[in-house]
C-alpha cells in the first residue's frame, strides 16, 4: 500500500478540535480556499461533528463535489483512506465507486463491509482480485454472501477456495489454541474522530501596539505601508484572517504566521500558495510559536530541505525533541558551529559536542 501524502496542517488543526463553531461551519460549507484533496479530507472529518448543521453541510459538500474533479483523486494511491472509504460507501456514481475499489490504498476491511451488497458489476472487481481475497479470508466470506453474484462469479470463488485450500484444516493439527476473535466491526480511522468538545478558539487578547511589535521588526515599524498592512489584519476577525492566511500575499502570510491565534498561524502553513522558500524563512523565525516549528519539523517534505533542518536546529524556539532528532542529519561543519553556539538550547549543544568529539576520536585513530 502506498504511503499517503502529508495531511494539510490546517486540516490537522481542525482534527485536533477546539475550533470555534462558526469556523467549522465555514469549513464544512467549502468556504476555505484549500486544494480539493485537502477539502475532501477536512469534510470527511466534519461529517462526524457533534453539531448537526456542520455534519449536514459537510455531507452536502462531499455529495456535491464534482465527479470529474473527484475521479483523479480517487485513483491516486496518496488519497487518504477516509476519503476513499466515504466515496466508495456514499457516492452513487458507479464509475467513482469502481475507481475507488481498484485503488490499492483502499483497506480490505472497508471492502469487506460493502461486499455483501455490491452490485454485480462492482462485485466483479472484488472477485477478480485474488490477492485481496487470499490475504483476507473474511473478505472472501463476505463477497460469497452477496446474493447478487452471477453463477460464474460463484464458480470462480468456489474454485479459488478449492485451489488454495482456503478454510481447510491441516490433517494433523496441533492442539487447538484459543479461537481467534471474530473480526470487529470496522471503525472509522481514529485520527478522524469528531470534535465532541466545544473549546473556544484561543483568541489571545493583545493590543494593536503589541501586535505591531509581535509581527514587525523595529525597522519595519518605521515604514507606514507595513504598519498599515498589519493594522488592517489586526482589525480583522478570525474568519477574515483565516481566509487571508490561505489566499493572501506572501507579505500577509509573513504577518499571520506570527498571529497569537494558533488556527490562523497554522492556516498559513496550510495555504496552497505557500512556497518552500517561505517555509525556510519561517523555520528560522524566533517570533513564531513552538507549535508552528513543531509542525514544520514533523513534515516529511519540508524537512527534506537542508536549510529547514539547519534552521530548526539553530532556532531556540524549536521544541528540543525535534531539534535533537535533526542534529545527526546535519553536515560536520554545521554541527561544529552548533556545538559552540550559546543561542541554542543546552541539550542540543551538548549533543552536537558529542558528535564533534566522536569525529575527533575517529580522526586520531
Amino acid at each position: 500500500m502506498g504511503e499517503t501524502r502529508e495531511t494539510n496542517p490546517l486540516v490537522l488543526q481542525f482534527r485536533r478540535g477546539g475550533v470555534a463553531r462558526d469556523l467549522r461551519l465555514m469549513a464544512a460549507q467549502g468556504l476555505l480556499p484549500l486544494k480539493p484533496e485537502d477539502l475532501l479530507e477536512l469534510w470527511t472529518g466534519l461529517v462526524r461533528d457533534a453539531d448537526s448543521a456542520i455534519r449536514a453541510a459537510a455531507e452536502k459538500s462531499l455529495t456535491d463535489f464534482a465527479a470529474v474533479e473527484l475521479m483523479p483523486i480517487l485513483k491516486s494511491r496518496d488519497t487518504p483512506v477516509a476519503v476513499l472509504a466515504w466515496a466508495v460507501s456514499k457516492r452513487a456514481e458507479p464509475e467513482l465507486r469502481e475507481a475507488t475499489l481498484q485503488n490499492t490504498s483502499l483497506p480490505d476491511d472497508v471492502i469487506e463491509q460493502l461486499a455483501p451488497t455490491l452490485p454485480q458489476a462492482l462485485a466483479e472487481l472484488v472477485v477478480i482480485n485474488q490477492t485481496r481475497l487470499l490475504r483476507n479470508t473474511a473478505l472472501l466470506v463476505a463477497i460469497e454472501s452477496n446474493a447478487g453474484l452471477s453463477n460464474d462469479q460463484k464458480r470462480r470463488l468456489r474454485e479459488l477456495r478449492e485451489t488454495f485450500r482456503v478454510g481447510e484444516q491441516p490433517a494433523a493439527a496441533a492442539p487447538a489454541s484459543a479461537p481467534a476473535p471474530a473480526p470487529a466491526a470496522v471503525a472509522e480511522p481514529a485520527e478522524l474522530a469528531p470534535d465532541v468538545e466545544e473549546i473556544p478558539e484561543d483568541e489571545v487578547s493583545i493590543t494593536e501596539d503589541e501586535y505591531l511589535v509581535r509581527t514587525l521588526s523595529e525597522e519595519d515599524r518605521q515604514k507606514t505601508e507595513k504598519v498599515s498592512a498589519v493594522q488592517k489584519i489586526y482589525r480583522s476577525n478570525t474568519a477574515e484572517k483565516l481566509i487571508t492566511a490561505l489566499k493572501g500575499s506572501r507579505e500577509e502570510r509573513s504577518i499571520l504566521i506570527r498571529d497569537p491565534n494558533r488556527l490562523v498561524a497554522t492556516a498559513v502553513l496550510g495555504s496552497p500558495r505557500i512556497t518552500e522558500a517561505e517555509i525556510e524563512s519561517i523555520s528560522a523565525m524566533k517570533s513564531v510559536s513552538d507549535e508552528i516549528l513543531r509542525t514544520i519539523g514533523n513534515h516529511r517534505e519540508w524537512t527534506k530541505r537542508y536549510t529547514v533542518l539547519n534552521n530548526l536546529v539553530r532556532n531556540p524556539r524549536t521544541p528540543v525533541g525535534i531539534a535533537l532528532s535533526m542534529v545527526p542529519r546535519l553536515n560536520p561543519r554545521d554541527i561544529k558551529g552548533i556545538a559552540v553556539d550559546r543561542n541554542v538550547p543546552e541539550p542540543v549543544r551538548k549533543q552536537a559536542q558529542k558528535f564533534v568529539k566522536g569525529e575527533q576520536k575517529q580522526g586520531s585513530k
Side-chain angles (χ1 to χ4, degrees):
M1 189 177 293
E3 186 180 81
T4 57
R5 64 180 179 79
E6 291 278 359
T7 297
N8 184 295
L10 182 60
V11 175
L12 283 175
Q13 190 65 57
F14 270 83
R15 184 181 294 171
R16 292 186 188 111
V19 179
R21 181 187 183 278
D22 61 329
L23 300 179
R24 302 201 319 274
L25 182 59
M26 183 172 75
Q29 293 169 336
L31 300 179
L32 295 183
L34 292 166
K35 293 179 180 178
E37 53 268 34
D38 293 332
L39 282 172
L40 289 165
E41 188 172 8
L42 180 58
W43 292 333
T44 55
L46 291 173
V47 291
R48 294 186 301 284
D49 194 277
D51 188 296
S52 60
I54 293 171
R55 291 198 304 271
E59 184 86 21
K60 185 176 188 305
S61 293
L62 282 166
T63 303
D64 292 348
F65 195 85
V68 66
E69 291 184 59
L70 187 55
M71 179 64 82
I73 295 173
L74 297 181
K75 288 182 176 180
S76 171
R77 288 187 295 174
D78 291 336
T79 298
V81 167
V83 175
L84 296 175
W86 191 92
V88 75
S89 304
K90 303 293 185 180
R91 289 295 291 241
E93 300 92 332
E95 66 276 14
L96 295 181
R97 301 186 77 193
E98 178 179 338
T100 310
L101 283 169
Q102 290 177 314
N103 191 323
T104 56
S105 292
L106 183 67
D108 293 345
D109 52 9
V110 174
I111 304 175
E112 183 185 333
Q113 283 189 323
L114 299 171
T117 57
L118 285 174
Q120 189 177 114
L122 293 178
E124 177 67 14
L125 298 174
V126 181
V127 173
I128 64 175
N129 195 331
Q130 293 189 358
T131 301
R132 280 194 189 271
L133 295 174
L134 291 174
R135 76 183 176 209
N136 184 354
T137 55
L139 175 56
L140 176 57
V141 172
I143 193 64
E144 286 174 328
S145 71
N146 189 318
L149 294 182
S150 68
N151 289 332
D152 180 62
Q153 289 171 329
K154 293 176 183 177
R155 176 188 58 78
R156 282 181 282 148
L157 291 174
R158 187 167 58 251
E159 289 176 353
L160 178 70
R161 270 192 179 278
E162 293 171 354
T163 302
F164 292 95
R165 300 175 180 269
V166 177
E168 290 186 14
Q169 295 295 325
S177 57
V186 179
E188 303 271 0
E191 69 270 25
L192 292 172
D195 293 326
V196 295
E197 185 179 1
E198 183 73 23
I199 307 172
E201 181 55 46
D202 54 331
E203 292 283 3
V204 179
S205 179
I206 62 175
T207 67
E208 187 170 296
D209 286 342
E210 289 172 333
Y211 197 80
L212 285 167
V213 171
R214 185 185 182 100
T215 56
L216 291 178
S217 66
E218 186 175 352
E219 180 183 349
D220 284 342
R221 291 199 296 274
Q222 309 307 314
K223 300 175 181 178
T224 305
E225 70 279 4
K226 289 189 177 293
V227 170
S228 296
V230 172
Q231 288 173 331
K232 180 182 178 183
I233 287 174
Y234 174 81
R235 294 163 189 170
S236 302
N237 61 34
T238 303
E240 291 167 338
K241 286 181 180 179
L242 203 59
I243 297 297
T244 303
L246 290 170
K247 69 174 186 179
S249 66
R250 178 170 181 159
E251 181 183 5
E252 289 169 325
R253 288 194 293 276
S254 72
I255 295 168
L256 289 168
I257 195 67
R258 299 176 173 93
D259 195 278
N261 183 309
R262 73 174 185 270
L263 185 66
V264 171
T266 304
V268 171
L269 298 182
S271 170
R273 300 185 178 186
I274 197 165
T275 64
E276 291 182 334
E278 287 177 83
I279 296 298
E280 290 182 356
S281 175
I282 293 168
S283 66
M285 290 181 181
K286 298 176 178 62
S287 54
V288 298
S289 75
D290 56 351
E291 280 303 311
I292 291 298
L293 298 173
R294 186 190 305 278
T295 299
I296 294 174
N298 286 328
H299 197 287
R300 291 190 302 270
E301 291 302 315
W302 294 338
T303 53
K304 287 178 181 178
R305 298 182 71 84
Y306 186 82
T307 302
V308 171
L309 284 177
N310 195 22
N311 287 346
L312 287 174
V313 173
R314 292 177 180 276
N315 192 333
R317 295 281 294 175
T318 302
V320 171
I322 296 287
L324 287 173
S325 69
M326 294 177 172
V327 171
R329 297 168 63 184
L330 299 180
N331 63 44
R333 184 184 63 181
D334 286 324
I335 291 178
K336 287 179 182 177
I338 290 165
V340 296
D341 188 345
R342 291 285 175 181
N343 292 318
V344 302
E346 186 177 0
V348 178
R349 189 170 63 254
K350 283 186 174 180
Q351 186 179 18
Q353 290 168 356
K354 288 180 182 178
F355 275 93
V356 172
K357 289 177 183 177
E359 276 199 349
Q360 290 172 345
K361 287 181 180 179
Q362 286 184 346
S364 62
K365 289 181 180 179

